[in-house]
């Protein structure tokens, strides 16, 4: 059987692919766009960059050992022939970039585990150029099932300890709504087989 995160990515793939395609089509007129991935980790999103070219991709991660895995995944996706990739040490609450310097920021399954999601979103807005795009895909507290929501809240302290600070009870969609983006295209939906990780928000915000 596939590990749970690989199964999750497989099930999320069709919807995530459309989201990334929408992002990249919005960057088609930009020369060598700077795309920052916050909490890049091993770069599971590399598969969504197939067919891109000329991107300057910068991964930000507090775990320096992830750089090797990220580069391996990028190579497997054929990315390194067409785009540039570097991984820098950093956290979402203090992104190591100048104001108005990035064309896009990507966050997938990252805002659940940052210490301060509001500060992280303020940093995303700070580094984005006017009109820059923020693509997000985050698991959240259930909005449709009060029983599941209660179980998510109860389970969160254990999950935080077990899974690098991951919170199951965050209303990340509300944080994004309140972050002051110029426009926000956001969807709440539920995956099928991942219990606490089923409730999800995804979309693209414009700075």
């Amino acid at each position: 059987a596939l590990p749970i995160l690989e199964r999750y990515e497989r099930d999320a793939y069709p919807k995530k692919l459309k989201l990334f395609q929408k992002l990249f089509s919005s960057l088609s007129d930009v020369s060598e766009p700077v795309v920052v991935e916050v909490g890049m980790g091993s770069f599971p999103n590399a598969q969504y960059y197939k067919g891109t070219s000329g991107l300057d991709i910068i991964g930000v991660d507090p775990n320096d050992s992830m750089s090797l895995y990220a580069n391996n995944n990028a190579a497997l996706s054929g990315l390194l022939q067409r785009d540039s990739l570097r991984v820098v040490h950093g956290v979402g609450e203090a992104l190591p970039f100048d104001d108005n310097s990035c064309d896009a920021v990507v966050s997938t399954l990252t805002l659940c585990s940052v210490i301060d999601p509001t500060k992280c979103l303020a940093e995303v807005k700070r580094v984005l150029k006017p009109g820059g795009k923020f693509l997000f895909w985050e698991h959240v507290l259930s909005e449709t099932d009060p029983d599941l929501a209660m179980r998510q809240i109860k389970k969160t302290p254990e999950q935080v300890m077990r899974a690098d600070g991951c919170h199951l009870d965050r209303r990340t969609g509300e944080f994004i709504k309140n972050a002051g983006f110029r426009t926000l295209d956001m969807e709440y939906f539920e995956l099928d087989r991942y219990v606490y990780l089923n409730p999800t928000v995804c979309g693209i915000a414009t700075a």
Side-chain angles (χ1 to χ4, degrees):
L2 281 172
I4 185 163
L5 276 176
E6 284 187 36
R7 274 191 286 126
Y8 179 96
E9 283 297 336
R10 186 190 61 193
D11 288 352
Y13 182 83
K15 202 173 187 73
K16 263 179 105 172
L17 181 63
K18 282 185 184 158
L19 200 58
F20 273 91
Q21 285 174 336
K22 190 175 175 186
L23 174 69
F24 294 137
S25 72
S26 78
L27 298 174
S28 59
D29 294 338
V30 182
S31 172
E32 296 184 358
V34 175
V35 179
V36 169
E37 275 226 14
V38 183
M40 176 174 268
S42 63
F43 199 17
N45 289 331
Q47 59 186 323
Y48 301 108
Y49 288 72
K50 284 180 180 168
T52 59
S53 64
L55 299 182
D56 181 10
I57 306 162
I58 310 170
V60 179
D61 205 279
N63 184 346
D64 294 337
S65 67
M66 285 294 159
S67 179
L68 178 64
Y69 300 104
N71 274 285
N72 284 346
N73 269 331
L76 285 170
S77 291
L79 241 163
L80 301 178
Q81 284 85 47
R82 306 181 310 272
D83 303 300
S84 75
L85 169 68
R86 57 206 149 107
V87 183
V88 299
H89 181 87
V91 294
E93 295 88 348
L95 293 173
F97 307 109
D98 293 337
D99 296 0
N100 309 322
S101 61
C102 306
D103 297 289
V105 175
V106 172
S107 168
T108 64
L109 304 183
T110 294
L111 293 173
C112 60
S113 57
V114 296
I115 291 166
D116 186 341
T118 302
K119 187 145 191 254
C120 186
L121 289 163
E123 278 290 276
V124 169
K125 265 192 74 193
R126 178 185 68 76
V127 303
L128 279 173
K129 296 174 183 174
K133 305 293 183 185
F134 173 50
L135 179 152
F136 56 91
W137 176 291
E138 301 288 346
H139 68 79
V140 293
L141 187 69
S142 176
E143 293 179 13
T144 60
D145 182 341
D147 179 54
L148 175 59
M150 283 303 297
R151 285 188 290 139
Q152 286 175 299
I153 291 165
K154 205 170 171 184
K155 187 90 174 161
T156 287
E158 180 194 327
Q159 179 78 353
V160 167
M161 297 293 290
R162 204 170 58 88
D164 289 334
C166 168
H167 292 70
L168 300 168
D169 60 355
R170 283 194 172 159
R171 300 190 69 207
T172 301
E174 294 303 307
F175 292 135
I176 295 169
K177 273 183 201 167
N178 295 328
F181 286 99
R182 199 158 49 82
T183 64
L184 173 59
D185 179 7
M186 180 165 70
E187 178 186 357
Y188 171 88
F189 68 97
E190 290 167 13
L191 289 165
D192 272 341
R193 301 187 296 163
Y194 302 95
V195 194
Y196 302 118
L197 305 183
N198 282 343
T200 306
V201 290
C202 74
I204 295 176
T206 304

